[in-house]
Protein backbone atom coordinates (compact mmCIF):
# COMPACT_ATOMS: atom_id res chain seq x y z
CA UNK A 1 0.00 0.00 0.00
CA UNK A 2 2.86 2.40 0.79
CA UNK A 3 4.33 1.79 -2.67
CA UNK A 4 0.99 2.23 -4.41
CA UNK A 5 0.58 5.61 -2.71
CA UNK A 6 3.84 6.68 -4.37
CA UNK A 7 3.57 4.99 -7.75
CA UNK A 8 1.95 1.72 -8.79
CA UNK A 9 3.47 1.46 -12.24
CA UNK A 10 6.02 3.15 -14.43
CA UNK A 11 7.91 1.53 -17.27
CA UNK A 12 11.53 1.20 -16.23
CA UNK A 13 12.96 1.54 -19.73
CA UNK A 14 13.12 5.26 -19.05
CA UNK A 15 12.38 5.55 -15.33
CA UNK A 16 13.40 3.88 -12.12
CA UNK A 17 11.76 3.24 -8.75
CA UNK A 18 13.37 3.01 -5.32
CA UNK A 19 11.83 -0.40 -4.62
CA UNK A 20 13.58 -2.02 -7.60
CA UNK A 21 16.92 -0.42 -6.78
CA UNK A 22 16.72 -1.38 -3.11
CA UNK A 23 15.72 -4.96 -3.93
CA UNK A 24 18.60 -5.29 -6.39
CA UNK A 25 20.99 -3.87 -3.81
CA UNK A 26 19.75 -6.34 -1.20
CA UNK A 27 20.24 -9.30 -3.53
CA UNK A 28 23.69 -8.19 -4.63
CA UNK A 29 25.13 -6.86 -1.38
CA UNK A 30 23.31 -8.36 1.60
CA UNK A 31 25.97 -10.30 3.58
CA UNK A 32 23.46 -13.06 4.37
CA UNK A 33 22.65 -13.75 0.71
CA UNK A 34 25.73 -12.82 -1.31
CA UNK A 35 28.26 -15.30 -2.65
CA UNK A 36 31.81 -14.96 -3.97
CA UNK A 37 30.39 -14.88 -7.50
CA UNK A 38 30.91 -11.57 -9.28
CA UNK A 39 27.34 -10.44 -9.92
CA UNK A 40 26.64 -6.81 -10.80
CA UNK A 41 23.07 -6.31 -12.03
CA UNK A 42 19.60 -7.72 -11.38
CA UNK A 43 16.83 -7.76 -13.98
CA UNK A 44 13.29 -8.13 -12.59
CA UNK A 45 10.39 -9.71 -14.50
CA UNK A 46 7.06 -11.30 -13.64
CA UNK A 47 7.68 -15.07 -13.69
CA UNK A 48 10.36 -17.72 -13.75
CA UNK A 49 9.51 -18.66 -17.33
CA UNK A 50 9.91 -15.05 -18.38
CA UNK A 51 13.17 -14.80 -16.46
CA UNK A 52 14.61 -17.82 -18.27
CA UNK A 53 13.61 -16.35 -21.61
CA UNK A 54 15.32 -13.10 -20.62
CA UNK A 55 18.47 -15.01 -19.61
CA UNK A 56 18.49 -16.92 -22.90
CA UNK A 57 18.15 -13.72 -24.91
CA UNK A 58 20.75 -11.96 -22.82
CA UNK A 59 23.22 -14.81 -23.35
CA UNK A 60 22.71 -14.68 -27.12
CA UNK A 61 23.03 -10.89 -27.16
CA UNK A 62 26.30 -11.07 -25.23
CA UNK A 63 27.91 -13.15 -27.98
CA UNK A 64 26.12 -11.37 -30.84
CA UNK A 65 27.62 -8.05 -29.83
CA UNK A 66 31.07 -9.64 -29.91
CA UNK A 67 30.49 -10.75 -33.49
CA UNK A 68 30.08 -14.41 -32.51
CA UNK A 69 26.84 -14.77 -34.43
CA UNK A 70 27.48 -18.47 -35.10
CA UNK A 71 26.60 -19.28 -31.49
CA UNK A 72 23.09 -20.71 -31.57
CA UNK A 73 22.97 -23.82 -29.36
CA UNK A 74 21.54 -24.14 -25.88
CA UNK A 75 22.49 -27.22 -23.87
CA UNK A 76 20.12 -28.44 -21.16
CA UNK A 77 19.44 -31.66 -19.24
CA UNK A 78 16.76 -34.27 -19.65
CA UNK A 79 14.14 -34.40 -16.91
CA UNK A 80 14.49 -30.65 -16.44
CA UNK A 81 11.90 -27.92 -16.36
CA UNK A 82 12.51 -24.23 -16.96
CA UNK A 83 9.11 -22.79 -17.85
CA UNK A 84 6.01 -22.60 -20.05
CA UNK A 85 6.96 -19.98 -22.64
CA UNK A 86 8.23 -21.13 -26.04
CA UNK A 87 11.82 -20.30 -25.14
CA UNK A 88 11.89 -21.78 -21.66
CA UNK A 89 9.88 -24.83 -22.77
CA UNK A 90 12.39 -25.42 -25.55
CA UNK A 91 15.18 -25.96 -23.01
CA UNK A 92 12.91 -28.07 -20.78
CA UNK A 93 12.20 -31.75 -21.18
CA UNK A 94 8.79 -32.06 -19.58
CA UNK A 95 7.59 -34.45 -22.28
CA UNK A 96 3.82 -34.25 -21.83
CA UNK A 97 3.73 -30.45 -21.79
CA UNK A 98 5.82 -30.17 -24.97
CA UNK A 99 3.85 -32.54 -27.20
CA UNK A 100 1.48 -29.97 -28.80
CA UNK A 101 4.37 -27.61 -29.53
CA UNK A 102 7.20 -29.88 -30.69
CA UNK A 103 7.09 -28.54 -34.25
CA UNK A 104 7.45 -24.90 -33.19
CA UNK A 105 10.00 -25.08 -30.36
CA UNK A 106 13.51 -23.71 -30.77
CA UNK A 107 15.51 -26.05 -33.03
CA UNK A 108 19.02 -25.60 -31.65
CA UNK A 109 18.67 -27.25 -28.24
CA UNK A 110 20.37 -30.44 -27.14
CA UNK A 111 19.97 -32.44 -23.96
CA UNK A 112 22.44 -34.34 -21.81
CA UNK A 113 21.70 -36.93 -19.13
CA UNK A 114 20.07 -35.76 -15.90
CA UNK A 115 22.17 -35.61 -12.75
CA UNK A 116 19.89 -38.16 -11.09
CA UNK A 117 21.88 -40.57 -8.95
CA UNK A 118 19.06 -42.85 -7.80
CA UNK A 119 17.92 -43.91 -11.27
CA UNK A 120 20.92 -43.18 -13.50
CA UNK A 121 24.08 -44.03 -11.57
CA UNK A 122 25.42 -47.51 -12.30
CA UNK A 123 25.41 -49.99 -9.41
CA UNK A 124 29.19 -50.23 -9.49
CA UNK A 125 29.76 -46.47 -9.52
CA UNK A 126 30.68 -44.35 -6.53
CA UNK A 127 29.21 -40.86 -6.29
CA UNK A 128 32.53 -39.42 -7.48
CA UNK A 129 32.67 -41.78 -10.45
CA UNK A 130 29.09 -41.00 -11.44
CA UNK A 131 29.79 -37.27 -11.22
CA UNK A 132 32.92 -37.66 -13.33
CA UNK A 133 30.93 -39.54 -15.98
CA UNK A 134 28.23 -36.85 -16.07
CA UNK A 135 30.76 -34.06 -16.49
CA UNK A 136 32.54 -36.01 -19.23
CA UNK A 137 29.24 -36.45 -21.10
CA UNK A 138 28.53 -32.74 -20.82
CA UNK A 139 31.98 -31.90 -22.15
CA UNK A 140 31.51 -34.41 -24.97
CA UNK A 141 28.29 -32.66 -25.98
CA UNK A 142 30.06 -29.30 -26.07
CA UNK A 143 32.73 -30.83 -28.29
CA UNK A 144 30.11 -32.43 -30.55
CA UNK A 145 28.41 -29.10 -31.10
CA UNK A 146 31.65 -27.16 -31.16
CA UNK A 147 32.28 -25.04 -28.04
CA UNK A 148 32.40 -21.96 -30.27
CA UNK A 149 28.77 -22.64 -31.30
CA UNK A 150 27.24 -22.93 -27.81
CA UNK A 151 25.39 -20.04 -26.19
CA UNK A 152 24.85 -21.52 -22.74
CA UNK A 153 24.23 -24.51 -20.51
CA UNK A 154 21.19 -24.28 -18.24
CA UNK A 155 20.58 -26.47 -15.18
CA UNK A 156 18.58 -26.56 -11.97
CA UNK A 157 20.65 -26.99 -8.78
CA UNK A 158 17.73 -29.00 -7.37
CA UNK A 159 15.23 -30.34 -9.90
CA UNK A 160 11.66 -29.51 -8.97
CA UNK A 161 8.48 -31.30 -9.92
CA UNK A 162 9.79 -32.98 -13.08
CA UNK A 163 11.62 -35.72 -11.21
CA UNK A 164 11.03 -34.72 -7.62
CA UNK A 165 13.68 -32.84 -5.61
CA UNK A 166 16.62 -34.47 -7.37
CA UNK A 167 19.94 -33.11 -6.10
CA UNK A 168 23.10 -33.42 -8.15
CA UNK A 169 25.97 -35.68 -7.02
CA UNK A 170 28.65 -34.01 -4.95
CA UNK A 171 31.07 -32.15 -7.21
CA UNK A 172 28.69 -31.62 -10.13
CA UNK A 173 28.35 -27.93 -9.30
CA UNK A 174 31.82 -27.35 -7.85
CA UNK A 175 32.42 -24.11 -5.96
CA UNK A 176 34.99 -22.88 -8.46
CA UNK A 177 32.49 -22.85 -11.34
CA UNK A 178 30.88 -19.42 -11.50
CA UNK A 179 27.54 -19.06 -13.33
CA UNK A 180 27.21 -16.10 -15.65
CA UNK A 181 23.55 -15.66 -14.74
CA UNK A 182 21.32 -17.05 -12.01
CA UNK A 183 17.55 -17.11 -12.43
CA UNK A 184 15.41 -16.87 -9.29
CA UNK A 185 11.65 -17.14 -9.15
CA UNK A 186 9.12 -18.28 -6.56
CA UNK A 187 11.23 -17.66 -3.50
CA UNK A 188 11.82 -14.02 -4.34
CA UNK A 189 8.29 -12.80 -3.69
CA UNK A 190 7.12 -15.68 -1.54
CA UNK A 191 3.84 -15.90 -3.44
CA UNK A 192 2.76 -12.40 -2.39
CA UNK A 193 3.52 -10.91 -5.79
CA UNK A 194 4.38 -12.07 -9.31
CA UNK A 195 8.12 -11.51 -9.55
CA UNK A 196 11.28 -13.28 -10.70
CA UNK A 197 14.76 -12.11 -11.56
CA UNK A 198 17.92 -12.71 -13.52
CA UNK A 199 21.04 -11.99 -11.50
CA UNK A 200 23.72 -11.07 -14.02
CA UNK A 201 27.51 -11.32 -13.79
CA UNK A 202 29.96 -8.50 -14.35
CA UNK A 203 31.29 -10.49 -17.34
CA UNK A 204 27.98 -10.14 -19.20
CA UNK A 205 27.42 -6.54 -18.13
CA UNK A 206 30.91 -5.52 -19.26
CA UNK A 207 30.34 -7.30 -22.58
CA UNK A 208 27.20 -5.27 -23.20
CA UNK A 209 28.93 -2.07 -22.09
CA UNK A 210 31.47 -2.59 -24.84
CA UNK A 211 28.63 -2.89 -27.34
CA UNK A 212 25.13 -1.46 -27.23
CA UNK A 213 25.18 -0.68 -23.47
CA UNK A 214 21.60 -1.94 -23.23
CA UNK A 215 19.63 -5.14 -22.88
CA UNK A 216 17.66 -5.81 -26.05
CA UNK A 217 14.65 -6.96 -24.03
CA UNK A 218 11.85 -5.05 -22.36
CA UNK A 219 8.55 -6.53 -21.17
CA UNK A 220 5.89 -4.09 -20.08
CA UNK A 221 5.99 -5.05 -16.41
CA UNK A 222 9.73 -5.40 -15.91
CA UNK A 223 10.73 -4.25 -12.40
CA UNK A 224 7.09 -3.54 -11.55
CA UNK A 225 7.08 -1.14 -8.62
CA UNK A 226 4.50 -2.93 -6.45
CA UNK A 227 6.01 -6.37 -7.13
CA UNK A 228 9.49 -5.12 -6.25
CA UNK A 229 8.24 -3.44 -3.07
CA UNK A 230 6.50 -6.66 -2.07
CA UNK A 231 9.56 -8.80 -2.74
CA UNK A 232 11.71 -6.34 -0.82
CA UNK A 233 9.42 -6.68 2.20
CA UNK A 234 9.52 -10.48 1.90
CA UNK A 235 13.31 -10.61 1.68
CA UNK A 236 13.72 -8.25 4.62
CA UNK A 237 11.42 -10.50 6.65
CA UNK A 238 13.35 -13.60 5.57
CA UNK A 239 16.58 -11.95 6.70
CA UNK A 240 15.23 -10.44 9.92
CA UNK A 241 13.61 -13.68 11.09
CA UNK A 242 16.51 -15.90 10.03
CA UNK A 243 14.17 -17.98 7.88
CA UNK A 244 16.86 -19.42 5.61
CA UNK A 245 18.66 -20.87 8.62
CA UNK A 246 15.34 -22.00 10.04
CA UNK A 247 14.56 -23.70 6.73
CA UNK A 248 17.79 -25.69 7.04
CA UNK A 249 17.09 -26.66 10.64
CA UNK A 250 13.48 -27.67 10.06
CA UNK A 251 14.54 -29.44 6.88
CA UNK A 252 16.80 -31.71 8.89
CA UNK A 253 13.84 -32.58 11.11
CA UNK A 254 11.64 -33.24 8.08
CA UNK A 255 14.29 -35.53 6.60
CA UNK A 256 14.56 -37.43 9.90
CA UNK A 257 10.79 -37.89 10.13
CA UNK A 258 10.51 -39.03 6.51
CA UNK A 259 13.35 -41.53 6.80
CA UNK A 260 12.11 -42.95 10.09
CA UNK A 261 8.58 -43.28 8.70
CA UNK A 262 9.20 -44.51 5.14
CA UNK A 263 12.61 -46.20 5.07
CA UNK A 264 11.05 -49.67 5.17
CA UNK A 265 7.97 -48.90 3.10
CA UNK A 266 7.62 -51.37 0.23
CA UNK A 267 6.94 -48.88 -2.55
CA UNK A 268 9.15 -45.97 -1.42
CA UNK A 269 12.34 -46.23 -3.43
CA UNK A 270 14.04 -42.96 -2.61
CA UNK A 271 13.71 -40.16 -0.07
CA UNK A 272 15.52 -37.02 -1.17
CA UNK A 273 15.65 -33.26 -0.99
CA UNK A 274 17.23 -30.19 0.58
CA UNK A 275 15.95 -27.74 3.17
CA UNK A 276 12.16 -27.87 3.29
CA UNK A 277 11.85 -29.34 -0.21
CA UNK A 278 11.57 -33.13 -0.13
CA UNK A 279 10.15 -35.94 -2.24
CA UNK A 280 9.30 -39.61 -2.07
CA UNK A 281 9.86 -41.55 -5.28
CA UNK A 282 7.61 -44.59 -5.58
CA UNK A 283 8.76 -47.81 -7.24
CA UNK A 284 7.37 -51.24 -7.97
CA UNK A 285 10.55 -53.01 -6.88
CA UNK A 286 13.18 -51.45 -4.62
CA UNK A 287 15.88 -53.83 -5.83
CA UNK A 288 15.49 -52.97 -9.52
CA UNK A 289 14.10 -49.45 -8.95
CA UNK A 290 11.50 -50.18 -11.61
CA UNK A 291 8.57 -47.75 -11.54
CA UNK A 292 4.98 -48.67 -10.80
CA UNK A 293 2.69 -48.98 -13.84
CA UNK A 294 1.32 -45.65 -15.03
CA UNK A 295 -2.23 -46.96 -14.82
CA UNK A 296 -1.88 -47.23 -11.03
CA UNK A 297 -1.36 -43.49 -10.64
CA UNK A 298 0.27 -44.08 -7.28
CA UNK A 299 1.66 -40.62 -6.60
CA UNK A 300 -1.53 -38.87 -7.65
CA UNK A 301 -3.51 -41.31 -5.53
CA UNK A 302 -1.39 -40.58 -2.46
CA UNK A 303 -1.84 -36.85 -3.04
CA UNK A 304 -5.62 -37.15 -3.35
CA UNK A 305 -5.99 -39.22 -0.19
CA UNK A 306 -3.70 -36.88 1.76
CA UNK A 307 -5.73 -33.89 0.58
CA UNK A 308 -8.91 -35.51 1.87
CA UNK A 309 -7.10 -36.01 5.19
CA UNK A 310 -6.12 -32.34 5.36
CA UNK A 311 -2.59 -32.10 3.93
CA UNK A 312 -1.75 -30.64 0.51
CA UNK A 313 1.07 -32.36 -1.40
CA UNK A 314 2.35 -31.91 -4.96
CA UNK A 315 2.14 -35.09 -7.06
CA UNK A 316 4.43 -35.75 -9.99
CA UNK A 317 4.44 -38.30 -12.79
CA UNK A 318 6.84 -39.35 -15.56
CA UNK A 319 9.56 -39.05 -12.93
CA UNK A 320 12.21 -41.32 -14.41
CA UNK A 321 12.25 -40.64 -18.13
CA UNK A 322 9.39 -38.34 -19.04
CA UNK A 323 6.92 -41.23 -19.26
CA UNK A 324 7.34 -43.62 -16.33
CA UNK A 325 7.58 -43.19 -12.58
CA UNK A 326 5.89 -41.06 -9.95
CA UNK A 327 6.55 -39.17 -6.75
CA UNK A 328 5.09 -36.64 -4.32
CA UNK A 329 6.67 -33.40 -3.17
CA UNK A 330 6.55 -32.08 0.38
CA UNK A 331 7.24 -28.34 0.48
CA UNK A 332 5.97 -26.66 3.67
CA UNK A 333 6.50 -22.94 4.34
CA UNK A 334 9.60 -21.63 6.12
CA UNK A 335 7.43 -20.89 9.15
CA UNK A 336 6.29 -24.50 9.59
CA UNK A 337 6.37 -25.78 13.18
CA UNK A 338 7.63 -29.11 14.50
CA UNK A 339 4.02 -30.06 15.23
CA UNK A 340 3.09 -29.21 11.65
CA UNK A 341 5.88 -31.41 10.26
CA UNK A 342 4.79 -34.28 12.48
CA UNK A 343 1.23 -33.93 11.20
CA UNK A 344 2.34 -33.70 7.57
CA UNK A 345 4.41 -36.89 7.76
CA UNK A 346 1.76 -38.76 9.75
CA UNK A 347 -0.96 -37.91 7.23
CA UNK A 348 1.36 -38.72 4.33
CA UNK A 349 1.96 -42.14 5.84
CA UNK A 350 -1.77 -42.71 6.26
CA UNK A 351 -2.34 -41.77 2.63
CA UNK A 352 0.53 -43.98 1.48
CA UNK A 353 -0.74 -46.96 3.48
CA UNK A 354 -4.23 -46.64 2.05
CA UNK A 355 -2.93 -46.42 -1.51
CA UNK A 356 -0.45 -49.28 -0.93
CA UNK A 357 -3.25 -51.47 0.40
CA UNK A 358 -5.21 -50.89 -2.78
CA UNK A 359 -2.36 -52.53 -4.74
CA UNK A 360 -2.60 -55.84 -2.87
CA UNK A 361 -5.13 -57.33 -5.28
CA UNK A 362 -3.33 -56.12 -8.40
CA UNK A 363 -1.00 -58.43 -10.25
CA UNK A 364 1.98 -56.11 -10.56
Amino acid sequence: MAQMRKVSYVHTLSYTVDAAEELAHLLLHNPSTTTPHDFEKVYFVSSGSEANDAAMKLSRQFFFEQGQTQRKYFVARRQAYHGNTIGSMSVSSFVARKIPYEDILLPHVSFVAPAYTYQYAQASESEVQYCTRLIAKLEAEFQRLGPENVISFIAEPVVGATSGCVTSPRGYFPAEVVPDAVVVGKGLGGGYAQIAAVVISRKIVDGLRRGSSASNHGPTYQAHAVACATALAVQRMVSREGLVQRCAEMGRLLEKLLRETFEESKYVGDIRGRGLFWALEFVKDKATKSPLPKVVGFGLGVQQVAFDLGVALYPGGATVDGVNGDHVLIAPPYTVSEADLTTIVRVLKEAYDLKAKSLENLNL
Side-chain angles (χ1 to χ4, degrees), residues 27-347:
L27 293 177
L28 292 171
H29 303 296
N30 188 329
S32 67
T33 59
T34 52
T35 72
H37 303 334
D38 194 16
F39 295 122
E40 184 176 340
K41 298 287 186 182
V42 186
Y43 184 74
F44 296 111
V45 290
S46 300
S47 72
S49 299
E50 190 181 346
N52 276 318
D53 273 23
M56 292 168 69
K57 290 177 67 178
L58 187 67
S59 300
R60 165 65 180 183
Q61 184 186 349
F62 171 78
F63 289 115
F64 184 88
E65 294 196 4
Q66 296 181 42
Q68 299 184 43
T69 56
Q70 83 286 354
R71 288 186 183 261
K72 58 186 178 182
Y73 289 99
F74 292 98
V75 180
R77 302 188 303 190
R78 295 195 302 275
Q79 289 306 95
Y81 181 69
H82 301 292
N84 265 317
T85 56
I86 290 294
S88 61
M89 185 178 290
S90 295
V91 294
S92 301
S93 61
F94 200 122
V95 176
R97 292 189 182 182
K98 293 176 70 171
I99 288 173
Y101 316 105
E102 286 287 359
D103 294 340
I104 62 170
L105 296 177
L106 301 181
H108 302 301
V109 179
S110 64
F111 294 90
V112 294
Y116 184 175
T117 304
Y118 178 67
Q119 288 287 358
Y120 286 85
Q122 297 170 3
S124 60
E125 283 182 314
S126 66
E127 185 176 29
V128 172
Q129 290 171 327
Y130 176 51
C131 182
T132 300
R133 179 162 65 89
L134 284 173
I135 293 173
K137 284 183 173 293
L138 179 58
E139 177 62 25
E141 182 63 11
F142 291 155
Q143 295 303 322
R144 185 186 73 83
L145 297 170
E148 71 283 359
N149 298 320
V150 175
I151 294 174
S152 70
F153 170 60
I154 181 171
E156 301 156 284
V158 179
V159 179
T162 306
S163 50
C165 299
V166 172
T167 60
S168 304
R170 191 174 293 107
Y172 185 84
F173 289 110
E176 64 269 22
V177 173
V178 180
D180 295 311
V182 173
V183 174
V184 295
K186 298 175 178 67
L188 185 58
Y192 294 97
Q194 307 97 311
I195 188 168
V198 186
V199 186
I200 308 164
S201 69
R202 189 179 304 277
K203 170 185 172 181
I204 292 180
V205 174
D206 285 346
L208 296 186
R209 283 191 178 117
R210 291 190 294 268
S212 64
S213 292
S215 168
N216 189 29
H217 185 67
T220 301
Y221 294 119
Q222 64 183 24
H224 190 278
V226 177
C228 287
T230 304
L232 182 61
V234 168
Q235 294 306 314
R236 284 173 172 167
M237 177 70 76
V238 166
S239 179
R240 185 172 72 243
E241 301 297 325
L243 293 183
V244 173
Q245 179 59 33
R246 189 174 192 281
C247 177
E249 293 169 358
M250 297 302 285
R252 286 190 285 272
L253 173 59
L254 177 56
E255 177 184 9
K256 179 175 181 289
L257 291 170
L258 288 171
R259 295 199 184 283
E260 289 175 351
T261 304
F262 290 98
E263 202 75 70
E264 303 303 319
S265 297
K266 180 178 179 180
Y267 301 112
V268 176
D270 196 25
I271 303 167
R272 55 180 178 253
R274 289 288 189 276
L276 283 170
F277 190 45
W278 284 80
L280 304 182
E281 179 175 341
F282 303 116
V283 295
K284 174 184 174 182
D285 187 302
K286 294 175 100 169
T288 64
K289 302 177 185 177
S290 58
L292 287 155
K294 285 181 61 178
V295 68
V296 172
F298 196 88
L300 181 60
V302 170
Q303 179 265 335
Q304 290 173 335
V305 174
F307 185 78
D308 290 340
L309 295 172
V311 169
L313 303 169
Y314 192 124
T319 309
V320 178
D321 55 12
V323 178
N324 301 296
D326 51 348
H327 62 270
V328 291
L329 300 179
I330 306 100
Y334 292 171
T335 53
V336 69
S337 68
E338 292 187 18
D340 291 334
L341 290 180
T342 300
T343 298
I344 289 168
V345 176
R346 175 181 56 78
V347 171

